[in-house]
């Protein structure tokens, strides 16, 4: 669900960014407004004088912005009055002053557009990076490191880790060395580790299976008979054997390069873990999540 929300957020941000850019450019163009109207005609000339000045042109209207009405042309109506004075030969032609109140925009649209596009590019780069991270996390969840190995025969050697006959599941391959019985971690993370075995505690003794990470004990499973009778406060002298299937199941944080394995530990000389063609000894591991 969190992954879908992140992807949806990225899509919405991209759409809003493009829409805002279009609206900004349209607003800048709208500020230019319509052209001012032409000035009115000059008045008649007075005696030996020059003609009166023409009336001012009407102001051009500005559009209302994005999606607004187009600008309208201004209208002007002039009214002049002659002024007596110098003769027409001596009169000099006056120069008109430009109309500075046209309402036009002095914005540098090209520069503003470049700035907006640069900001959009940065946002897209950030979103792309976040999306790549999410894709990596999805791949890790879809393809976790996992194995399930089994042993066909019994085992009683306390001096070496339990070895295995084959692995039903091993992704990627090479996680477990069947001969040494060691799982070598390839990816940092939290792992679920299990060891299941048919345990035989012979002659009333105890047997244990110990799980190690780099020679450090992290978990133990044990089987034995309690020969003490709480009702009579006596210990039974009857020698009994115990056959039971135990499972050690735990989660543990592991780093790449760590080695995980299981040793047997028992009292006496006859206890052991047993198996057969039906497979009763299993060692499994599964990557759960990143650290």
């Amino acid at each position: 669900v969190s992954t879908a929300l992140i992807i949806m957020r990225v899509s919405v941000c991209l759409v809003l960014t493009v829409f805002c850019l279009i609206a900004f450019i349209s607003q800048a163009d709208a500020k230019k407004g319509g052209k001012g109207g032409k000035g009115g005609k000059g008045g008649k000339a007075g005696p030996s004088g020059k003609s009166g000045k023409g009336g001012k042109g009407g102001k051009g209207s500005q559009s209302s912005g994005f999606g607004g009405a187009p600008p309208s042309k201004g209208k002007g109506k002039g009214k002049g009055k002659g002024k007596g004075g110098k003769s027409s030969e001596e009169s000099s032609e006056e120069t008109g002053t430009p109309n500075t109140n046209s309402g036009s925009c002095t914005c540098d649209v090209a520069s503003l557009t470049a700035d907006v596009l640069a900001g959009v590019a940065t946002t897209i780069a950030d979103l792309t990076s976040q999306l790549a991270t999410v894709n990596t996390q999805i791949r890790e969840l879809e393809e976790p490191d996992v194995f399930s190995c089994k042993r066909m025969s019994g085992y009683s050697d306390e001096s070496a880790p339990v070895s295995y006959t084959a692995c039903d599941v091993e992704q990627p391959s090479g996680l477990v060395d069947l001969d040494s019985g060691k799982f070598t971690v390839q990816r940092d993370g939290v792992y679920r580790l299990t060891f299941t075995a048919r345990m035989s505690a012979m002659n009333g003794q105890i047997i244990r299976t110990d799980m190690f990470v780099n020679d450090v004990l992290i978990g133990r499973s044990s089987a034995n008979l309690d020969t003490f009778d709480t009702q009579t406060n006596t210990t039974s002298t009857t020698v009994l054997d115990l056959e039971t299937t135990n499972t050690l199941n735990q989660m543990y944080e592991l780093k790449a390069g760590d080695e995980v394995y299981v040793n047997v530990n028992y009292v006496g000389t006859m206890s052991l873990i047993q198996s057969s063609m039906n497979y009763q000894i299993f060692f499994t591991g599964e990557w759960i999540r990143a650290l």
Side-chain angles (χ1 to χ4, degrees), residues 98-118:
N99 183 5
T100 59
N101 192 23
S102 63
S104 62
C105 175
T106 59
C107 304
D108 188 346
V109 176
S111 177
L112 292 174
T113 302
D115 291 341
V116 172
L117 289 175

Side-chain angles (χ1 to χ4, degrees), residues 2 19 25-26 30 54 57 81 85 153 189 202 216 223 226 272 279 287:
S2 60
F19 179 80
I25 295 174
S26 300
K81 185 176 182 181
S153 58
M202 311 301 289
V216 176
D226 185 357
L272 74 163
Y279 292 105
W287 185 93

Side-chain angles (χ1 to χ4, degrees), residues 2-288:
S2 60
T3 301
L5 290 175
I6 292 174
I7 295 175
M8 184 181 296
R9 184 183 300 173
V10 170
S11 301
V12 170
C13 288
L14 290 174
V15 171
L16 290 176
T17 301
V18 173
F19 179 80
C20 291
L21 177 60
I22 295 173
F24 177 80
I25 295 174
S26 300
Q27 185 69 26
D29 289 339
K31 289 182 178 180
K32 292 182 178 180
K35 295 181 179 179
K38 294 181 179 179
K41 294 181 179 180
K44 293 181 179 180
S48 300
K50 54 186 178 182
S51 60
K53 295 181 179 179
K56 293 183 178 179
K59 294 182 179 179
S61 65
Q62 295 184 355
S63 67
S64 59
F66 181 67
S72 61
K73 295 181 178 180
K75 293 183 179 180
K77 185 175 182 182
K79 183 176 182 182
K81 185 176 182 181
K83 183 178 180 182
K86 298 179 181 179
S87 64
S88 59
E89 288 90 357
E90 295 173 301
S91 64
S92 60
E93 238 180 274
E94 295 185 11
T95 58
T97 56
N99 183 5
T100 59
N101 192 23
S102 63
S104 62
C105 175
T106 59
C107 304
D108 188 346
V109 176
S111 177
L112 292 174
T113 302
D115 291 341
V116 172
L117 289 175
V120 171
T122 301
T123 301
I124 292 176
D126 292 340
L127 294 175
T128 301
S129 177
Q130 295 178 22
L131 187 58
T133 301
V134 171
N135 286 336
T136 300
Q137 294 172 344
I138 291 174
R139 282 195 300 271
E140 289 179 344
L141 294 174
E142 290 178 341
E143 302 173 358
D145 289 8
V146 60
F147 68 89
S148 177
C149 301
K150 58 190 179 182
R151 182 180 175 86
M152 184 185 297
S153 58
Y155 194 82
S156 61
D157 187 355
E158 294 181 283
S159 65
V162 179
S163 57
Y164 304 96
T165 305
C167 291
D168 294 320
V169 177
E170 190 179 19
Q171 296 293 336
S173 61
L175 291 176
V176 179
D177 185 309
L178 296 178
D179 294 331
S180 69
K182 293 183 177 181
F183 157 50
T184 301
V185 179
Q186 296 187 11
R187 182 194 301 182
D188 294 357
V190 176
Y191 285 77
R192 181 181 296 280
L193 303 166
T194 74
F195 182 79
T196 300
R198 176 186 169 191
M199 303 174 71
S200 299
M202 311 301 289
N203 294 329
Q205 302 297 331
I206 187 171
I207 183 171
R208 311 178 185 90
T209 53
D210 297 335
M211 185 174 291
F212 291 86
V213 175
N214 302 328
D215 300 328
V216 176
L217 179 66
I218 65 168
R220 167 174 285 178
S221 175
S222 63
N224 71 295
L225 286 173
D226 185 357
T227 58
F228 182 77
D229 189 339
T230 57
Q231 293 183 346
T232 62
N233 290 326
T234 60
T235 300
S236 174
T237 58
T238 304
V239 177
L240 299 173
D241 296 336
L242 175 66
E243 294 281 347
T244 183
T245 296
N246 283 10
T247 296
L248 174 62
N249 184 345
Q250 67 183 103
M251 287 190 290
Y252 202 80
E253 292 184 358
L254 298 172
K255 297 289 187 67
D258 287 346
E259 291 184 333
V260 185
Y261 55 91
V262 177
N263 276 27
V264 294
N265 177 1
Y266 55 88
V267 176
T269 59
M270 298 179 62
S271 297
L272 74 163
I273 55 174
Q274 297 193 53
S275 188
S276 66
M277 293 291 292
N278 295 323
Y279 292 105
Q280 295 167 295
I281 297 175
F282 295 92
F283 179 35
T284 74
E286 179 184 8
W287 185 93
I288 300 298

